């Protein structure tokens, strides 16, 4: 099992940027594909995007219009979510997930999840 800890959330104004981090520990980081999800109040959890073990392949939810970017630093056991041009509808708790299989990350069936970090975007 891998332990995941997210950070970087906060209260920001619409139109600004924010970078979330997720640090992994307890297992070999490069064994895992990583993903970011979010859950807004009253809504189901949804995929934001995913990245394979090397960082060479990424997948994003279409509705984000290219505003978000996932990257990873395997030397730091960390995956990042760069969020630009934030909108009030981006307000949610953001979670990272890890799984050896990319398909499990993308479909939300990963066994490994962080505790989440709150992002609130004011208008």
């Amino acid at each position: 099992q891998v332990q995941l800890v997210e950070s970087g959330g906060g209260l920001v104004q619409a139109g600004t940027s924010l970078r979330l981090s997720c640090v992994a520990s307890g297992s070999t980081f490069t064994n895992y594909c990583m993903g970011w999800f979010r859950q807004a109040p009253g809504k189901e959890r949804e995929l934001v995007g995913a990245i394979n073990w090397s960082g060479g392949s990424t997948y994003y939810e279409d509705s984000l219009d290219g505003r978000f970017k996932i990257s990873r630093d395997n030397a730091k056991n960390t995956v990042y979510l760069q969020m630009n041009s934030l909108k009030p509808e981006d307000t949610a708790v953001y979670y990272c997930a890890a799984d050896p299989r990319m398909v499990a990350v993308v479909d939300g069936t990963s066994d490994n999840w962080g505790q989440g970090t709150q992002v609130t975007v004011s208008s």
Side-chain angles (χ1 to χ4, degrees):
Q1 293 284 352
V2 61
Q3 289 77 50
L4 305 172
V5 178
E6 303 96 334
S7 63
L11 172 62
V12 297
Q13 290 188 333
T16 60
S17 298
L18 199 62
R19 189 177 79 160
L20 306 182
S21 301
C22 173
V23 178
S25 62
S27 190
T28 302
F29 187 56
T30 51
N31 286 346
Y32 294 90
C33 300
M34 303 295 295
W36 284 97
F37 288 75
R38 66 184 183 183
Q39 187 167 20
K43 296 186 177 181
E44 293 187 355
R45 184 179 62 196
E46 64 175 0
L47 174 70
V48 173
I51 189 167
N52 74 336
W53 71 272
S54 68
S57 178
T58 54
Y59 174 89
Y60 295 97
E61 172 60 35
D62 289 341
S63 64
L64 296 175
D65 298 326
R67 296 183 295 116
F68 292 10
K69 181 179 180 180
I70 294 176
S71 62
R72 64 190 293 163
D73 185 338
N74 288 339
K76 295 182 178 180
N77 289 358
T78 302
V79 63
Y80 302 99
L81 179 65
Q82 178 67 44
M83 305 185 292
N84 300 321
S85 302
L86 283 162
K87 304 176 181 180
E89 51 264 43
D90 295 319
T91 295
V93 178
Y94 284 72
Y95 300 90
C96 69
D99 198 279
R101 301 164 298 151
M102 188 68 155
V103 64
V105 173
V106 171
D107 69 14
T109 59
S110 304
D111 289 333
N112 306 290
W113 293 85
Q115 83 289 349
T117 186
Q118 175 71 48
V119 173
T120 303
V121 184
S122 63
S123 58

